[in-house]
Amino acid sequence: MAHRAPRRPSAPIEEAIGFVGFFGVAFLVVTVVCEVTGRPALGWALTLLACVLAVALLDRWRVRVVRRTEAWAQPSSPEPAVRTAPGPRTGVGVELPGTADVPHGVDG
């Protein structure tokens, strides 16, 4: 069985935004076609307005969920910084013996 990564708390909201947003684009196309061809477009435009409002509300909800989960992820008390050993040197910035008093860089 494949291992699955845990889902973000905002994933279902983002899926809903995509679903409603798809239909919003579809209603936009239908509204524009109705306007261009002279058919009544008020119902389509109101439906498009409802989709736009739904996406805006879902986005605000997603922002609230993300902020709440970030607040939970923050530690309540600051922990002391953990010092780690430096990794292997790459040769950049290595000081050779006997060259400590030689100026470095372009400015000298």
Side-chain angles (χ1 to χ4, degrees):
M1 185 165 160
H3 295 282
R4 297 176 68 185
R7 287 185 66 161
R8 295 182 322 275
S10 62
I13 302 169
E14 292 167 356
E15 291 171 3
I17 289 173
F19 184 78
V20 175
F22 169 78
F23 283 102
V25 171
F27 289 131
L28 175 67
V29 170
V30 171
T31 304
V32 168
V33 168
C34 286
E35 283 291 332
V36 169
T37 60
R39 294 188 214 155
L42 179 62
W44 296 111
L46 291 175
T47 308
L48 174 61
L49 176 65
C51 286
V52 169
L53 291 176
V55 168
L57 290 173
L58 285 167
D59 183 54
R60 295 307 311 156
W61 184 22
R62 185 187 68 83
V63 167
R64 232 179 290 128
V65 168
V66 168
R67 284 185 183 155
R68 185 179 63 217
T69 55
E70 285 177 354
W72 286 345
Q74 298 290 329
S76 58
S77 63
E79 297 180 12
V82 178
R83 297 191 70 117
T84 59
R89 306 286 305 251
T90 60
V92 176
V94 175
E95 232 176 77
L96 298 175
T99 61
D101 56 347
V102 177
H104 299 290
V106 178
D107 296 332

